[in-house]
Amino acid sequence: MKDKLEDLRRLLGEIFDLERARDLLEWDQSTYMPPGAAPERALQLATLSKLSHQKLISGELSSLLEDARQVTASMNPDSDDARLVQRLTRKLEKLRKVPAEWVEEKARAVSLSKQAWEKARKEDDFPHFEPHLTKMVGLIRQYTEFFPSSDHYYDPLLDDYESGMQTNHIRTVFAELLPEQVNLIREIGEREPIDASLLYQPFAERKQWDFGLEVIRKIGFDFQRGRQDISAHPYTTHFGIGDVRITTRIHPNYFGSGFFATLHEVGHALYEQGIRPDLGRTLLAEGASLGIHESQSRLWENLVGRSRAFWTWAYPRLQQIFPQQFGDLKLETFYRAINKVEPSPIRVEADEATYNLHIMLRFELELTLLDGSLQVADLPEAWNGKMQEYLGVTPPDDATGVLQDIHWSEGLIGYFPTYALGNLFACQLWQLIKADIPALEAQIERGEFGALRGWLDENLYQHGAKFLPMELVERVTGGGLSAEPYLAYLRSKFGQIYGLV
Amino acid sequence: MKDKLEDLRRLLGEIFDLERARDLLEWDQSTYMPPGAAPERALQLATLSKLSHQKLISGELSSLLEDARQVTASMNPDSDDARLVQRLTRKLEKLRKVPAEWVEEKARAVSLSKQAWEKARKEDDFPHFEPHLTKMVGLIRQYTEFFPSSDHYYDPLLDDYESGMQTNHIRTVFAELLPEQVNLIREIGEREPIDASLLYQPFAERKQWDFGLEVIRKIGFDFQRGRQDISAHPYTTHFGIGDVRITTRIHPNYFGSGFFATLHEVGHALYEQGIRPDLGRTLLAEGASLGIHESQSRLWENLVGRSRAFWTWAYPRLQQIFPQQFGDLKLETFYRAINKVEPSPIRVEADEATYNLHIMLRFELELTLLDGSLQVADLPEAWNGKMQEYLGVTPPDDATGVLQDIHWSEGLIGYFPTYALGNLFACQLWQLIKADIPALEAQIERGEFGALRGWLDENLYQHGAKFLPMELVERVTGGGLSAEPYLAYLRSKFGQIYGLV
């Protein structure tokens, strides 16, 4: 009977190979592909996606899974085999509830909607996008109806990115978060603003690139099993545990862009590189969820990368590399500049203290769009109202307001909350790590990251997607998702920086 | 009924996409892939190859082809559709004659044989490779027996790389070539040797790289639909007509390596970039054969790139870039150095006058290995004997002798002759082009390649693999393959350089 599991793994291996090949085509598209290849590349991506999907929903896989379920029924439910079967079962049960006609209709709608969104954003013309978004909201509402037994209509959406997560759980946590974060940035707003202009100077691109590589090498990114390249939108991808690639973009006149993008992506990459090799080539060989993944990018970008301890180590080196820009500048001045808090309309440029507010705004709007209490036509007004309410700013136009993100045009509804979950979970972990490694700060001040990485490998990375995200949170923290460590972190850090009481 | 053709094209499109995805994985492997990815990449390549092969030999394709044959029977036999059906039919008829067991056994043998060859070459230990080569020769002999109706046992091998080419035709041409080439290099050997040491100096790699790009841009390589990267073994690959990539390697202490590799590969690439877009995503979207392809790499590398006319244009620029190395050096001295003739044991380092002798030697040995008149155990002796006979040199050891090429270890028998065919066909074309474009030399002296490229586009490139190689030769030259233009070219060029009577 063990052979049945082997057969299942063989077929899953083929699906995995097709998906990773598609990912490599996408990586190439965003890094080195010549522009003339675009039309043919689109067809190639479509073919690979289609073939892997065909295998995934095939009768062959279905029957192998049925056999495997019998084999694993008598196993330790926490064994790799049992967990693999469990994850595959969840995935297929969900896929089977969605009619092929809906999938096709949505694919067509996405293709048109993305084009319309691009044009609308470029020309600051929300009405041009409106009918497409209305169509998309309708399709997504239909999707939620394929899962009538959900506690909340938003649950199946959330579950696509954060398996098993409950909408009501998120609402509770966000409700705790919102007044505190709004309050914090109001208090900060009353203090003297930080001058961050020192980050906006010419910085030789090659030197920025080299500094980033030097730091991530020290942090432990394994260049034998990964690499960094340049792309318009930084991201992390992997073609196996032995091949995890990050991309960054470097701004010649702003230090903050490239370096922190590299740190963010390396957080994702350490997670992928840390997965146990024997989970390889299965659907356990990836992060547990988007939120857990984001906790790692945020942990390395912010909790490590924007800490005073980190720059105590890294700043002298940075001064060596950019003596003109930083030679005479105190560590504290630099530290304050990279931690400047300033409410602004754009999510991807938001600082640590305001970021989640952008997410909560989108989450609330998604809920009201789906339950029909908000019409798409009224969305810009609702957007701007909430921006004022949460962040105290009003976008100058829709292009920098409701049209700023690509997500909705692609039908990605239920996705945004995972960014906030990442921030919260990162701080929960950080509290535990500090308790387990009392010397953590002193180590970081010396550029020593081995113990930190070891902790994350042991408690998080090695498991890949073996556990559901909330199971993993429970295993690691002994409790559920909590806003408190995050709020405590913000209060402490920015209280100190801005001299709050 | 036209729909049947559409269905066939759709399925061929999927096969094409899978094959190009596999090619991209290979390109990535030879350029940017981190070393730790190797084991997983091997599995991914195997999966993609398997899936495209399954589709190729599927009942679905077979039946679509049958329908398409009926549709095209009444068409112009030179229409794209008819030619596509013809090429696919040839390919499938051949594939069907080869039992799956043989394919599997050969794949296993190749895997072992390549490893053994690598070790044997490294340690100059032919006996270590001998049993593997014996096995391989046996397998290849078996393969020829799957095609009992061939005129010559070597025909089905040759046909794999040079569709429709006859062994006896090659023998005839080679028989004409051999004494003339042997005689020519003997005569050259009696003259004062050329001093080529000026090419062996330090040359900044970046400058070599930039010079190469500058030249191929001028020649007409389309960077909107292609790019150049670095790899250990220069080669050309394509993922569609809109994405043709070349690689090169640059030697920091030798000018000849990188630049001529770039020119060679750009010849292959211009061919691929020049294929008519409406042949795209089918099996007509490639060169007609290895030999025809090689004619283009040789044409640009040698007939253009080692000509006096070319360097009349390019040498002043090269002098600017490398003033220390070439500033005081006359064009004629440089021209002679890059055309130095010197028999040596290594094929890939051979000059224009000696190259084909390396091929004829391999061709003769392949024939006698297959007909049983030569035993693998006696191969090194036979190799060295022929080296002495054809080139007047004896390799210092087997590593630089019989073990130098990877081909036989991979079962590539019948492949070598295509290199020589490329040299011959290039000169046949050159004769025609010079007649059609009387100003050709003057144009090249001014760095103008438009008319030359236009001629090649019109007569060769656009057709892709629509015609069999010998059909194409016939269409272009009005006759068959001929050694005479090649011999005339060698006699004239080297007669002038070496002052032969």
Side-chain angles (χ1 to χ4, degrees):
Chain A
M1 271 305 260
K2 257 287 183 188
D3 285 357
K4 297 285 183 185
L5 273 173
E6 273 315 300
D7 288 348
L8 178 65
R9 281 179 177 275
R10 180 193 49 71
L11 184 53
L12 287 177
E14 285 184 6
I15 294 170
F16 185 89
D17 290 343
L18 280 168
E19 290 176 346
R20 295 299 84 73
R22 184 205 56 206
D23 290 344
L24 182 72
L25 266 64
E26 279 179 348
W27 171 86
D28 180 69
Q29 189 172 35
S30 65
T31 52
Y32 296 111
M33 190 186 87
E40 285 159 312
R41 181 58 52 90
L43 294 170
Q44 291 158 0
L45 287 167
T47 294
L48 291 186
S49 294
K50 182 182 133 185
L51 295 178
S52 60
H53 189 255
Q54 277 176 352
K55 284 188 180 284
L56 197 58
I57 58 165
S58 66
E60 187 189 1
L61 183 64
S62 196
S63 123
L64 285 172
L65 178 58
E66 200 43 62
D67 294 341
R69 252 204 300 262
Q70 288 173 28
V71 179
T72 54
S74 57
M75 283 182 176
N76 174 354
D78 271 357
S79 66
D80 291 351
D81 283 330
R83 287 295 188 155
L84 175 61
V85 164
Q86 186 197 45
R87 188 167 169 91
L88 183 59
T89 303
R90 279 185 74 95
K91 185 167 182 162
L92 286 185
E93 277 176 359
K94 204 158 177 190
L95 274 181
R96 283 196 196 113
K97 287 188 177 140
V98 184
E101 300 74 45
W102 183 90
V103 174
E104 273 169 42
E105 194 183 348
K106 189 191 163 211
R108 272 195 303 276
V110 165
S111 164
L112 296 172
S113 158
K114 267 173 75 175
Q115 287 176 40
W117 169 77
E118 269 168 31
K119 187 168 153 51
R121 187 170 79 147
K122 203 169 167 187
E123 298 171 4
D124 185 32
D125 180 6
F126 183 79
H128 179 72
F129 181 46
E130 193 199 313
H132 295 277
L133 185 54
T134 302
K135 166 94 184 167
M136 197 57 72
V137 169
L139 279 165
I140 297 300
R141 199 181 287 129
Q142 241 183 301
Y143 180 81
T144 65
E145 287 161 7
F146 300 140
F147 307 91
S149 61
S150 305
D151 289 341
H152 192 289
Y153 61 89
Y154 192 82
D155 279 358
L157 301 171
L158 197 53
D159 179 87
D160 279 351
Y161 313 105
E162 209 62 36
S163 203
M165 178 65 75
Q166 304 282 309
T167 307
N168 288 331
H169 193 163
I170 303 233
R171 294 195 89 146
T172 311
V173 174
F174 280 7
E176 187 187 346
L177 215 52
L178 182 63
E180 298 275 352
Q181 282 206 253
V182 168
N183 194 36
L184 178 69
I185 66 162
R186 276 199 194 131
E187 279 184 62
I188 292 173
E190 288 157 12
R191 296 297 186 283
E192 183 72 23
I194 289 174
D195 176 10
S197 61
L198 57 102
L199 302 174
Y200 297 83
Q201 308 180 52
F203 294 95
E205 293 179 52
R206 184 80 223 173
K207 288 183 177 181
Q208 289 193 60
W209 173 265
D210 289 344
F211 178 66
L213 288 187
E214 193 179 322
V215 167
I216 64 174
R217 198 179 293 276
K218 192 84 184 186
I219 279 177
F221 180 75
D222 181 355
F223 284 89
Q224 291 294 302
R225 299 188 293 128
R227 48 180 292 118
Q228 178 175 263
D229 297 272
I230 296 282
S231 72
H233 302 285
Y235 83 121
T236 303
T237 185
H238 62 102
F239 318 120
I241 297 169
D243 195 353
V244 180
R245 305 192 191 182
I246 63 175
T247 69
T248 191
R249 65 177 155 208
I250 291 180
H251 198 298
N253 297 304
Y254 175 45
F255 175 74
S257 166
F259 180 73
F260 288 107
T262 292
L263 273 192
H264 181 98
E265 300 309 330
V266 99
H268 287 303
L270 290 175
Y271 193 176
E272 297 289 341
Q273 287 191 334
I275 295 170
R276 260 196 292 124
D278 48 347
L279 299 182
R281 215 164 163 251
T282 72
L283 63 171
L284 301 184
E286 59 184 9
S289 71
L290 290 191
I292 305 289
H293 235 303
E294 194 72 5
S295 79
Q296 292 315 294
S297 55
R298 294 294 176 171
L299 186 148
W300 287 97
E301 177 193 359
N302 291 333
L303 304 187
V304 175
R306 294 187 202 267
S307 73
R308 194 183 277 105
F310 177 81
W311 289 103
T312 301
W313 165 66
Y315 190 60
R317 180 72 186 121
L318 188 66
Q319 287 180 304
Q320 270 179 10
I321 293 169
F322 295 111
Q324 267 197 303
Q325 296 90 332
F326 295 136
D328 295 329
L329 204 77
K330 280 193 182 142
L331 168 61
E332 192 61 22
T333 314
F334 177 81
Y335 171 68
R336 287 168 58 85
I338 60 168
N339 284 297
K340 178 185 171 78
V341 173
E342 187 176 44
S344 84
I346 304 288
R347 175 183 61 85
V348 297
E349 292 168 6
D351 53 73
E352 280 187 272
T354 57
Y355 192 92
N356 279 357
L357 294 170
H358 293 269
I359 300 307
M360 291 186 257
L361 173 153
R362 286 157 176 76
F363 175 64
E364 288 300 325
L365 293 177
E366 287 180 353
L367 288 174
T368 48
L369 280 172
L370 285 172
D371 75 11
S373 59
L374 175 66
Q375 296 305 305
V376 171
D378 303 326
L379 183 60
E381 200 189 324
W383 180 283
N384 293 344
K386 280 224 180 287
M387 280 300 285
Q388 191 58 50
E389 185 189 339
Y390 291 0
L391 284 144
V393 298
T394 299
D397 50 35
D398 288 337
T400 42
V402 66
L403 289 171
Q404 67 183 271
D405 293 310
I406 195 173
H407 301 60
W408 290 344
S409 78
E410 292 182 319
L412 296 175
I413 294 184
Y415 186 112
F416 280 120
T418 66
Y419 292 123
L421 296 179
N423 286 327
L424 303 189
F425 188 47
C427 288
Q428 287 186 263
L429 284 175
W430 199 242
Q431 224 173 41
L432 290 171
I433 296 168
K434 283 199 293 189
D436 283 356
I437 311 174
L440 180 66
E441 199 168 313
Q443 289 173 0
I444 294 176
E445 283 175 354
R446 294 193 300 269
E448 293 167 15
F449 303 98
L452 171 56
R453 263 202 16 261
W455 195 100
L456 291 166
D457 273 332
E458 175 66 24
N459 290 285
L460 206 65
Y461 298 169
Q462 63 155 323
H463 302 304
K466 189 168 164 176
F467 304 107
L468 290 177
M470 285 311 294
E471 279 183 317
L472 193 60
V473 172
E474 166 77 30
R475 284 175 65 96
V476 178
T477 67
L481 189 72
S482 157
E484 191 38 44
Y486 174 71
L487 287 170
Y489 164 78
L490 288 186
R491 273 189 227 109
S492 157
K493 177 171 182 173
F494 294 101
Q496 189 275 324
I497 290 175
Y498 280 95
L500 311 179
V501 190
Chain B
M1 271 306 259
K2 257 288 183 186
D3 285 357
K4 298 284 184 186
L5 272 173
E6 272 315 299
D7 288 348
L8 178 66
R9 280 179 177 275
R10 180 194 47 71
L11 183 53
L12 287 178
E14 285 184 5
I15 295 171
F16 185 88
D17 290 342
L18 281 167
E19 290 176 346
R20 295 300 83 73
R22 185 204 57 207
D23 291 344
L24 182 73
L25 266 63
E26 280 179 346
W27 171 85
D28 181 70
Q29 189 172 36
S30 66
T31 52
Y32 296 110
M33 190 186 87
E40 285 159 311
R41 182 57 53 90
L43 293 170
Q44 290 158 0
L45 287 167
T47 294
L48 291 186
S49 294
K50 184 183 132 185
L51 294 178
S52 60
H53 188 255
Q54 277 176 353
K55 284 188 180 286
L56 197 58
I57 59 164
S58 66
E60 187 189 0
L61 183 64
S62 196
S63 122
L64 286 171
L65 178 58
E66 199 44 62
D67 293 341
R69 251 203 301 263
Q70 288 173 28
V71 179
T72 55
S74 58
M75 283 183 178
N76 173 354
D78 271 357
S79 66
D80 291 351
D81 283 330
R83 287 295 188 157
L84 175 61
V85 164
Q86 184 197 44
R87 188 167 168 91
L88 183 59
T89 303
R90 279 185 73 95
K91 186 169 181 160
L92 286 184
E93 276 176 359
K94 204 158 178 190
L95 275 180
R96 283 198 196 111
K97 288 187 176 140
V98 183
E101 301 74 44
W102 182 89
V103 174
E104 274 170 41
E105 194 183 348
K106 190 191 162 211
R108 273 195 302 275
V110 165
S111 165
L112 296 171
S113 159
K114 266 173 76 176
Q115 287 175 38
W117 169 76
E118 269 167 30
K119 186 167 152 51
R121 187 170 79 147
K122 204 169 166 186
E123 298 172 4
D124 185 32
D125 180 6
F126 182 80
H128 179 72
F129 181 47
E130 191 199 315
H132 296 277
L133 184 54
T134 302
K135 167 93 184 168
M136 196 57 72
V137 168
L139 279 165
I140 297 300
R141 199 181 286 129
Q142 242 183 300
Y143 180 81
T144 64
E145 287 160 6
F146 301 139
F147 307 91
S149 60
S150 305
D151 288 342
H152 192 289
Y153 59 89
Y154 192 82
D155 279 358
L157 300 173
L158 196 54
D159 178 87
D160 279 351
Y161 313 105
E162 208 63 34
S163 205
M165 178 65 74
Q166 304 282 309
T167 307
N168 288 330
H169 192 163
I170 303 235
R171 294 194 89 146
T172 311
V173 174
F174 280 7
E176 186 186 346
L177 216 52
L178 181 64
E180 298 274 352
Q181 283 207 253
V182 168
N183 193 36
L184 178 71
I185 66 162
R186 278 201 192 129
E187 279 185 62
I188 291 173
E190 287 158 12
R191 296 297 187 283
E192 184 72 24
I194 288 173
D195 176 11
S197 61
L198 57 103
L199 301 174
Y200 297 83
Q201 307 180 54
F203 295 94
E205 293 179 53
R206 184 80 222 173
K207 289 184 178 180
Q208 289 193 60
W209 173 266
D210 289 344
F211 178 66
L213 288 187
E214 192 179 323
V215 167
I216 65 174
R217 198 179 295 274
K218 193 85 185 185
I219 280 178
F221 180 74
D222 181 355
F223 284 90
Q224 292 294 303
R225 298 188 294 128
R227 47 180 292 121
Q228 178 175 263
D229 298 272
I230 296 283
S231 73
H233 303 285
Y235 84 121
T236 302
T237 184
H238 62 102
F239 318 121
I241 296 168
D243 195 351
V244 180
R245 305 192 191 182
I246 63 175
T247 69
T248 190
R249 67 177 154 206
I250 291 180
H251 199 298
N253 296 304
Y254 175 45
F255 175 75
S257 166
F259 180 73
F260 289 106
T262 292
L263 273 193
H264 181 98
E265 300 308 330
V266 100
H268 287 302
L270 291 176
Y271 193 175
E272 296 289 341
Q273 287 191 334
I275 294 171
R276 259 197 293 126
D278 48 346
L279 298 182
R281 214 163 163 252
T282 71
L283 63 172
L284 301 184
E286 60 184 7
S289 71
L290 290 190
I292 304 289
H293 236 303
E294 195 71 5
S295 79
Q296 292 316 294
S297 55
R298 295 293 177 172
L299 185 147
W300 288 97
E301 177 193 0
N302 292 333
L303 303 188
V304 175
R306 294 187 201 268
S307 73
R308 192 182 279 106
F310 177 80
W311 289 103
T312 301
W313 164 66
Y315 190 60
R317 179 71 186 123
L318 188 66
Q319 286 180 304
Q320 270 179 11
I321 293 169
F322 295 112
Q324 267 197 303
Q325 295 90 332
F326 296 136
D328 295 328
L329 204 78
K330 280 192 183 143
L331 168 61
E332 191 62 21
T333 314
F334 177 80
Y335 171 68
R336 288 169 59 86
I338 60 169
N339 283 298
K340 178 185 169 78
V341 173
E342 188 177 44
S344 84
I346 305 288
R347 175 182 60 85
V348 297
E349 293 169 5
D351 53 73
E352 281 187 89
T354 57
Y355 192 92
N356 278 358
L357 294 170
H358 292 270
I359 299 306
M360 292 186 255
L361 172 153
R362 286 157 176 77
F363 175 63
E364 288 300 326
L365 293 177
E366 287 181 353
L367 289 174
T368 49
L369 281 172
L370 286 173
D371 75 10
S373 60
L374 175 65
Q375 297 304 305
V376 171
D378 302 326
L379 182 61
E381 201 190 321
W383 180 283
N384 293 344
K386 280 224 179 287
M387 280 300 285
Q388 191 58 50
E389 185 188 338
Y390 291 1
L391 284 145
V393 299
T394 300
D397 50 35
D398 288 338
T400 41
V402 67
L403 289 171
Q404 67 182 273
D405 293 310
I406 197 173
H407 302 59
W408 289 344
S409 79
E410 292 183 319
L412 296 175
I413 294 183
Y415 186 113
F416 280 119
T418 66
Y419 293 122
L421 295 180
N423 287 326
L424 304 189
F425 188 48
C427 287
Q428 287 185 263
L429 285 175
W430 200 241
Q431 225 174 40
L432 290 170
I433 296 168
K434 282 199 293 190
D436 283 355
I437 311 174
L440 180 66
E441 199 169 312
Q443 289 173 0
I444 294 177
E445 283 174 355
R446 295 192 301 268
E448 293 167 15
F449 303 97
L452 171 57
R453 264 202 15 261
W455 194 99
L456 291 166
D457 274 332
E458 175 66 24
N459 290 285
L460 207 65
Y461 298 170
Q462 63 154 323
H463 303 304
K466 189 168 165 177
F467 305 106
L468 290 177
M470 286 310 295
E471 279 183 316
L472 193 60
V473 171
E474 167 77 30
R475 284 175 65 97
V476 179
T477 67
L481 189 72
S482 157
E484 191 39 44
Y486 174 71
L487 287 170
Y489 164 77
L490 288 186
R491 272 189 228 109
S492 156
K493 176 170 183 174
F494 294 101
Q496 188 274 326
I497 289 175
Y498 280 95
L500 310 179
V501 190

